[in-house]
Amino acid sequence: MKTEHRIVSKRQLSEEVYRIEVLAPLVARERKAGQFVVVMYDEEYSERIPLTIADADPEKGTVTLIFQTVGASTHKLALKEPGDSIVLLGPLGNPTHIEKFGWAVCVGGGIGLAPLHPIVKALKEAGNRVTVISGARTAELLIMQDEMNAVADENIVVTDDGTAGRKALVTVPLAELCAASPPPDIVVAIGPPIMMKFCAETTRPFGIKTLASLNTIMIDGTGMCGGCRVSVGGATKFVCVDGPEFDAHQVDWGQMMSRLGAYKDIEKEAHEKCHLEMSIKQLEKERS
Amino acid sequence: MSHMETSFYQQAAQAELEKIHSAALTPRARMAITVQDMPCQDPEVRRHNMQEVAIGYTREQAMLEAERCLQCKNAPCVAGCPVKIDIPGFIRKVKEGDFTGAGQVIKQTNLLPSICGRVCPQEKQCQLPCTVGKALGGVDKAVQIGRLERFVADYEREHGLQTVPHAGPSSGKRVAIVGAGPAGLTCAVDVRREGHDVAVFEAFHKAGGVMVYGIPEFRLPKALVASEAGLLESMGVQFEMNFLVGRTRKLSSLLKEDGFDAVFIGTGAGLPKFMDIPGENLVGVFSANEYLTRANLMKAYEIGKAGTPIYPSRRVAVLGGGNVAMDSARMAMRLGAEEVRVLYRRTREEMPARAEEVGHAMEEGIIFDFLASPTKVVGDDKGKVAGLEVLSYQLGEPDESGRRKPVPIRGSEHFVPFDTVIVAIGNESNPLISRTTPDLHVDRHGHIIVDEKQKTSLDRVYAGGDIVLGAATVILAMGEGRRAAAAINEVLQ
């Protein structure tokens, strides 16, 4: 009865973003919007990598993970091919609280669009009107657009360089929507911490309830290490068992970001090494 | 004490053995035999490596130490053992040089002797009531039961004499064990012996629980834990790794849908406790769980190979006085810290850590600041730890427990520079199973409430180990696993 988590398909969405579909029937059956998994590229030396679940197919028994190669570990994960097995544990964290709020605005930045997608779907299924704001640095990094367009009532696209949609940060259309009358009933923001922080600052003056999904450092993901702790409303919370979603107005973003950077120097070195290795492997692949 | 090589101990023991005639020894003569010290790696060497500190008795040492046992009829040592090993019985075999026979005696009640021999707090259990220790005026003079247990287990393994416990004829019943730590593994063996199908569900990618994520390699080699878990597999116990009961599958689904007839919950320690002082979320403050898991399970010490980074530390403060604090301090030293200090609010006498570990830590150069406790973690402008504000204490009047109570000295706050703080003051309970299993009763700390047979508020659901006891020891967890197994075997008859 040993469960083998095998990669069934893999697609490169952009230079740094990969989409893998992994056989994990139990996770596919149990998971709900907002939850995540921990994966490892091997059992000996891999880091435990928390990744949000972008989609799941209970019939096929698969979960879809979308990740960006930001460090050594995600690079090694990106080298795995269909047929390879990985370690996968989940679903972890609490599901997003879904109800009929009325009008929901969902803001996704970069890779954050992946975990946002199931939330958009769930909010829609619960009878909400859903506006999505899709943001990325540049058009090439804009992911999940077909999926978002298929489910959202409206999808506002922004890029930092204007290569797709409006040339703006996500907070610009967000502020406009907040000023509407009546204003949105809830905002959900998933993306880089700095984006989530500014989304929180944008909605704060309007008093609109805003949720953010935090991607802190963690090891086990089950409530044992405490590495993921973050201060929310002055109290220490564990992202893995109390989150990953929190009231964005209550999160101590400065502290969260400095904790995320704890291993920055070590990671930078490892990342550069991996980037090289990966480029070499890709060259070899092209040649053969 | 200066460091001695194993050969020194071996020769000394050999010489003493030759002088005595076992059968003719009077109790007085037995008590006159030198207590056998544990050969260890040189502190100066071992503080830079991950290899096991204690090397283990030689056969001469083991046989000589066994001669110290008086074979008391009332065997007070057995009463002190949580799993009731026939201690005089196995020591008699060691004395006779029948190490295999000694192993068989131990295995009747303890399947994991190589682990227990290394990590049990013997000075608080079997060796505490030992007649020899009492007569000689100190528990350190007691028969070294733990070291003998380890010797026997290592002898068996090193000589390929390990036997797989026999699983009874299939009963057709199925038991789920949640958590592959000491409680779960012990329970699994005892239930499997009765012929029930056993599946162990483990959230991590390796079996062993605290024995792989928490206790460091230099105290409990991981190959040893893997070998013990391997024995279970040979018995037909199935392991389902990377499976978090409560999330991957609810406890109730295991019973109602997946056909398990009983469940044992041994999920162990949960959320780490912090001091609740300002600055604890600064970069450089770690729970001992996190620090040790990075270093042990994730092998962060193999820099360049391991994907998991470990924080580069120079000056480390460890808060707490238990085994986990000792492990953290000694690990930090091995990972290259220049100075490691353990801050403890009381004194050495009150430290809950195993005496041998405290001694080893001191030998390795760990500095102990007794009667000291931090009031604040001070950060720099980048959000990283710069040091601790420490308050000094003095011993006051005895409290209800009879121990002199530490009383803060007013105005004694002082700043001590550190770049890393490891908090080792215990754990809360993990809330995952109780949150997802509504009728499972827990106390206000979240620990699962059980009766004297380890049964929870739910039918056919048992629990044991740290999820019941709070932070305890490997052996107490094993004791609970064993008791639960007996109860499960009874209801499944």
Side-chain angles (χ1 to χ4, degrees):
Chain A
M1 70 186 271
K2 275 214 161 99
T3 315
E4 206 192 347
H5 299 300
R6 200 159 33 78
I7 298 177
V8 294
S9 76
K10 174 184 169 182
R11 196 146 55 92
Q12 190 167 3
L13 302 185
S14 73
E15 195 194 338
E16 289 196 333
V17 178
Y18 291 81
R19 175 187 185 279
I20 55 173
E21 204 184 342
V22 187
L23 194 65
L26 292 174
V27 184
R29 180 169 63 182
E30 294 289 326
R31 73 93 215 192
K32 293 194 173 64
Q35 289 187 297
F36 62 97
V37 292
V38 162
V39 301
M40 297 171 75
Y41 51 81
D42 70 27
E43 280 193 0
E44 277 311 301
Y45 290 109
S46 174
E47 193 171 7
R48 293 173 69 85
I49 313 163
L51 295 175
T52 34
I53 303 169
D55 209 348
D57 185 338
E59 308 270 291
K60 273 168 71 186
T62 59
V63 292
T64 300
L65 309 174
I66 294 180
F67 62 94
Q68 192 167 5
T69 49
V70 289
S73 300
T74 38
H75 269 92
K76 289 194 174 140
L77 184 62
L79 290 172
K80 291 279 167 187
E81 298 296 338
D84 289 346
S85 281
I86 58 171
V87 171
L88 186 145
L89 171 72
L92 304 172
N94 297 304
T96 309
H97 173 71
I98 300 289
E99 63 171 67
K100 189 172 177 185
F101 297 100
W103 180 24
V105 174
C106 296
V107 189
I111 198 79
L113 283 160
L116 191 66
H117 173 243
I119 298 173
V120 170
K121 234 158 87 175
L123 283 168
K124 195 64 202 153
E125 279 160 14
N128 292 283
R129 173 185 155 209
V130 184
T131 300
V132 171
I133 302 176
S134 297
R137 281 207 312 275
T138 183
E140 213 255 314
L141 296 174
L142 199 63
I143 57 167
M144 305 292 286
Q145 289 305 290
D146 293 345
E147 291 89 339
M148 287 299 191
N149 288 330
V151 56
D153 291 287
E154 186 185 8
N155 180 18
I156 302 167
V157 176
V158 295
T159 47
D160 293 2
D161 60 1
T163 46
R166 283 168 72 175
K167 181 178 176 176
L169 296 173
V170 292
T171 45
V172 177
L174 179 61
E176 290 164 10
L177 296 175
C178 289
S181 176
D185 298 288
I186 188 161
V187 171
V188 181
I190 308 183
I194 191 81
M195 181 209 94
M196 295 192 279
K197 177 189 165 168
F198 281 104
C199 286
E201 291 319 314
T202 305
T203 59
R204 194 190 301 271
F206 297 96
I208 300 168
K209 185 177 177 182
T210 303
L211 294 177
S213 179
L214 305 189
N215 50 342
T216 49
I217 289 174
M218 52 178 80
I219 312 251
D220 58 300
T222 66
M224 198 207 77
C225 80
C228 63
R229 67 195 188 278
V230 54
S231 180
V232 181
T236 293
K237 297 281 178 190
F238 296 87
V239 171
C240 65
V241 293
D242 299 320
E245 283 164 19
F246 294 99
D247 180 343
H249 295 150
Q250 300 286 318
V251 172
D252 182 340
W253 291 102
Q255 183 194 78
M256 188 230 163
M257 284 186 262
S258 81
R259 287 185 62 76
L260 259 179
Y263 298 95
K264 215 156 59 188
D265 296 342
I266 303 174
E267 276 162 0
K268 206 175 148 218
E269 202 181 306
H271 184 187
E272 279 161 8
K273 211 173 121 201
C274 280
H275 214 82
L276 268 172
E277 274 172 26
M278 192 153 187
S279 310
I280 295 167
K281 284 227 169 116
Q282 268 170 356
L283 268 174
E284 281 171 354
K285 213 166 147 190
E286 279 163 28
R287 273 192 207 150
S288 64
Chain B
M1 194 186 77
S2 64
H3 177 75
M4 295 292 182
E5 295 299 324
T6 305
S7 56
F8 167 84
Y9 294 109
Q10 182 182 0
Q11 283 157 17
Q14 175 78 48
E16 204 166 334
L17 262 183
E18 280 165 9
K19 276 190 248 154
I20 59 176
H21 296 284
S22 180
L25 285 180
T26 61
R28 180 182 291 268
R30 292 192 187 281
M31 286 197 277
I33 299 171
T34 323
V35 182
Q36 292 302 296
D37 282 326
M38 175 60 102
C40 287
Q41 272 198 75
D42 185 339
E44 287 306 316
V45 175
R46 73 187 193 227
R47 58 190 281 196
H48 303 295
N49 71 39
M50 288 291 164
Q51 279 125 51
E52 195 172 12
V53 167
I55 294 164
Y57 276 169
T58 64
R59 61 188 290 148
E60 294 79 9
Q61 279 189 289
M63 290 176 72
L64 184 59
E65 184 63 33
E67 292 290 0
R68 300 184 62 238
C69 175
L70 303 181
Q71 297 287 321
C72 309
K73 287 275 176 299
N74 60 343
C77 47
V78 177
C81 173
V83 296
K84 305 282 176 265
I85 294 175
D86 175 8
I87 294 167
F90 96 79
I91 292 183
R92 196 182 316 125
K93 297 275 185 197
V94 174
K95 195 166 72 174
E96 292 161 4
D98 178 8
F99 307 134
T100 314
Q104 282 160 356
V105 173
I106 297 176
K107 286 277 173 73
Q108 287 166 6
T109 51
N110 184 1
L111 192 73
L112 308 167
S114 61
I115 293 170
C116 294
R118 284 169 168 82
V119 302
C120 269
Q122 290 95 2
E123 73 271 16
K124 290 176 188 154
Q125 297 173 357
C126 52
Q127 291 172 203
L128 181 62
C130 170
T131 314
V132 176
K134 292 239 186 255
L136 295 175
V139 69
D140 53 327
K141 305 274 185 355
V143 176
Q144 301 298 302
I145 301 165
R147 293 171 179 176
L148 288 172
E149 181 185 23
R150 170 185 162 162
F151 170 80
V152 169
D154 286 358
Y155 181 90
E156 206 181 39
R157 200 182 55 260
E158 283 157 16
H159 290 80
L161 301 169
Q162 268 178 315
T163 47
V164 177
H166 185 67
S170 176
S171 68
K173 300 274 172 48
R174 300 177 68 207
V175 179
I177 308 277
V178 186
L185 294 182
T186 308
C187 187
V189 172
D190 281 4
V191 171
R192 180 72 193 124
R193 278 193 226 251
E194 288 296 301
H196 307 307
D197 275 346
V198 179
V200 179
F201 297 92
E202 168 58 44
F204 271 132
H205 51 289
K206 287 198 174 139
V210 71
M211 301 182 290
V212 294
Y213 76 73
I215 303 176
E217 177 75 18
F218 58 80
R219 199 149 76 81
L220 181 63
K222 300 307 146 221
L224 221 144
V225 181
S227 143
E228 303 285 13
L231 276 186
L232 269 69
E233 271 190 295
S234 317
M235 276 181 87
V237 172
Q238 294 191 30
F239 283 85
E240 185 73 45
M241 309 307 286
N242 305 298
F243 192 116
L244 183 62
V245 174
R247 288 280 190 220
T248 311
R249 200 89 176 105
K250 290 202 172 55
L251 187 90
S252 53
S253 310
L254 292 177
L255 283 166
K256 286 177 196 150
E257 294 160 44
D258 301 344
F260 284 99
D261 298 291
V263 178
F264 173 75
I265 308 170
T267 48
L271 307 172
K273 274 190 207 165
F274 287 90
M275 302 280 289
D276 210 13
I277 57 175
E280 274 188 305
N281 291 347
L282 287 165
V283 173
V285 183
F286 303 93
S287 73
N289 280 358
E290 177 181 358
Y291 193 78
L292 290 173
T293 303
R294 282 178 183 274
N296 297 327
L297 179 71
M298 308 311 293
K299 300 188 176 170
Y301 61 86
E302 293 194 46
I303 292 165
K305 271 189 181 171
T308 306
I310 192 95
Y311 199 68
S313 307
R314 294 180 55 206
R315 290 182 52 87
V316 179
V318 176
L319 313 180
N323 286 322
V324 178
M326 297 307 104
D327 288 344
S328 305
R330 299 169 71 196
M331 180 59 87
M333 177 66 84
R334 283 162 173 75
L335 290 171
E338 287 159 23
E339 187 172 304
V340 182
R341 308 186 82 95
V342 172
L343 275 66
Y344 184 55
R345 207 164 57 100
R346 296 176 182 255
T347 65
R348 180 169 183 182
E349 283 71 59
E350 290 87 17
M351 281 180 83
R354 212 170 161 250
E356 189 169 77
E357 309 310 329
V358 181
H360 282 161
M362 287 181 167
E363 287 170 13
E364 287 165 17
I366 310 288
I367 301 164
F368 286 77
D369 293 328
F370 293 114
L371 295 166
S373 183
T375 49
K376 185 178 168 185
V377 189
V378 182
D380 66 10
D381 54 351
K382 294 191 186 93
K384 291 184 171 178
V385 172
L388 289 175
E389 186 184 271
V390 180
L391 182 65
S392 301
Y393 286 73
Q394 60 190 0
L395 287 180
E397 296 299 312
D399 60 15
E400 315 83 68
S401 69
R403 298 191 302 180
R404 290 180 70 191
K405 203 179 157 197
V407 186
I409 303 170
R410 281 180 64 181
S412 68
E413 291 92 344
H414 55 285
F415 176 80
V416 188
F418 289 109
D419 52 45
T420 305
V421 177
I422 303 172
V423 186
I425 56 168
N427 302 289
E428 306 283 352
S429 50
N430 191 307
L432 270 179
I433 289 193
S434 54
R435 269 189 206 165
T436 52
T437 315
D439 298 325
L440 184 69
H441 292 174
V442 296
D443 69 13
R444 64 193 173 88
H445 299 293
H447 297 128
I448 297 175
I449 299 171
V450 295
D451 66 12
E452 69 289 347
K453 289 185 167 176
Q454 307 294 136
K455 191 185 156 300
T456 68
S457 54
L458 292 173
D459 255 4
R460 298 184 288 148
V461 179
Y462 296 76
D466 277 6
I467 191 65
V468 168
L469 296 166
T473 58
V474 166
I475 187 69
L476 286 176
M478 288 179 176
E480 297 222 314
R482 155 144 299 164
R483 200 151 54 230
I488 291 170
N489 288 337
E490 199 181 303
V491 298
L492 293 187
Q493 250 179 15

